[in-house]
Amino acid sequence: MTFKKTNKMTITIFGATGRMQHLLVQQALDTGHKVIGYARTPSKMTIQHPNLTLIKGTMLDKTAIEAAIEGSDVVIETVGCVSEGTKLIIQAMKKFKVKRLVVVSTSNAKDSKDLPDKKFALLLGMTRGVLKLLGLFNRQYRNAVSELRKIAEIVRNSDLDWTLVRVAGLNNKARSNHVKSGYLGQGRLSFTTSRADMADFLLQQVTDSTYIKQAPAISS
Ligand SMILES: NC(=O)c1ccc[n+]([C@@H]2O[C@H](COP(=O)([O-])OP(=O)(O)OC[C@H]3O[C@@H](n4cnc5c(N)ncnc54)[C@H](OP(=O)(O)O)[C@@H]3O)[C@@H](O)[C@H]2O)c1
């Protein structure tokens, strides 16, 4: 393991003001870590804590991104839809010698360890059908999927200690304390993940090297 592993770390979280991200920030603070929350709209953050610093910026703001990463031990990227921003984050991590990068991705993004999964393929097909019926299977959706694929490629090609965390079907159920992780087709994963479990898993990656340079899918 090449990244720093201590009980108290400084964690930079990109996209810190989202729903799952609020849970992640709170869990990180409760664990004793310092958090640098990066957001384009910091006023949406409802948590106040002496160990929480907020930095305002877009995913294309190189100066603000560097300010958020300098002095940090770990970066968790939860925006997941701006590939140019992922490039800037990786550049800044290399500049400031930060090695550990955890990036949110989607179970739709395939991994070579996945096995054929009929149930998941059916669910994906049904989701596409519903999106088409609602008129949401549009250019914006396809752009988002394309950005997610680009991000996965950029992260995989970095020489950082990266983990891509693939999720689907987020909901607001309570933390289970038993988040499942693995690869499609193993019969272990369900199709939904609570935001609390997702936050739990992302935070575990800060000190756990199991999935370095891997892209596990997770579920509750
Ligand atoms: N819902 C699912 O089933 C699913 C599946 C796969 C992955 N995910 C990912 O899981 C994560 C957590 O989901 P969630 O529903 O809890 O999050 P959420 O409440 O939708 O929050 C998303 C956060 O990302 C920020 N953001 C979005 N687009 C951005 C952009 N272009 N530039 C900068 N910031 C941007 C938002 O900032 P503002 O508040 O300023 O808008 C917000 O803080 C998200 O990254 C989501 O993409 C979700």
Side-chain angles (χ1 to χ4, degrees):
M1 187 168 51
T2 53
F3 61 92
K4 183 176 163 187
K5 183 179 175 184
T6 63
N7 288 335
K8 306 276 185 283
M9 296 205 194
T10 300
I11 306 170
T12 301
I13 300 175
F14 285 89
T17 53
R19 288 162 290 178
M20 181 284 297
Q21 294 87 337
H22 266 82
L23 301 170
L24 174 62
V25 169
Q26 191 63 61
Q27 286 189 27
L29 292 168
D30 290 347
T31 312
H33 300 301
K34 288 186 178 168
V35 175
I36 299 170
Y38 189 94
R40 61 182 174 184
T41 323
S43 57
K44 289 187 180 172
M45 173 57 69
T46 59
I47 300 167
Q48 290 187 329
H49 192 284
N51 286 339
L52 172 62
T53 306
L54 295 175
I55 292 186
K56 179 182 167 75
T58 69
M59 292 301 285
L60 301 177
D61 189 340
K62 185 176 177 207
T63 308
I65 287 173
E66 288 191 351
I69 289 175
E70 186 171 13
S72 187
D73 298 305
V74 181
V75 172
I76 305 181
E77 204 287 89
T78 71
V79 172
C81 60
V82 188
S83 61
E84 287 304 313
T86 306
K87 285 184 192 165
L88 291 176
I89 288 170
I90 290 173
Q91 282 167 17
M93 289 180 69
K94 289 183 176 171
K95 180 172 176 177
F96 297 113
K97 300 191 175 10
V98 181
K99 286 289 282 178
R100 184 72 173 116
L101 173 64
V102 184
V103 179
V104 169
S105 186
T106 166
S107 308
N108 291 351
K110 294 257 180 297
D111 184 82
S112 59
K113 290 186 179 155
D114 288 338
L115 299 171
D117 189 323
K118 280 185 189 161
K119 278 188 193 166
F120 190 78
L122 183 66
L123 186 83
L124 203 60
M126 282 165 60
T127 306
R128 280 202 185 127
V130 171
L131 287 172
K132 276 181 187 164
L133 275 177
L134 296 173
L136 296 174
F137 195 77
N138 51 22
R139 196 160 53 164
Q140 196 182 352
Y141 175 83
R142 284 193 288 271
N143 280 348
V145 172
S146 154
E147 279 300 277
L148 276 163
R149 291 202 176 120
K150 277 190 209 165
I151 288 169
E153 197 183 335
I154 292 164
V155 170
R156 286 172 194 273
N157 288 333
S158 75
D159 56 2
L160 300 173
D161 289 336
W162 57 266
T163 301
L164 283 161
V165 178
R166 298 181 295 150
V167 290
L170 286 188
N171 63 46
N172 292 324
K173 289 187 181 166
R175 184 178 178 181
S176 69
N177 292 317
H178 296 291
V179 59
K180 296 172 196 144
S181 60
Y183 294 87
L184 301 183
Q186 294 177 331
R188 292 175 56 202
L189 300 166
S190 69
F191 300 122
T192 57
T193 310
S194 73
R195 289 184 168 84
D197 280 349
M198 181 178 176
D200 205 3
F201 187 81
L202 291 175
L203 189 58
Q204 278 173 30
Q205 303 319 300
V206 167
T207 50
D208 189 335
S209 59
T210 307
Y211 285 118
I212 283 187
K213 296 194 194 298
Q214 294 189 59
I218 64 168
S219 77
S220 290

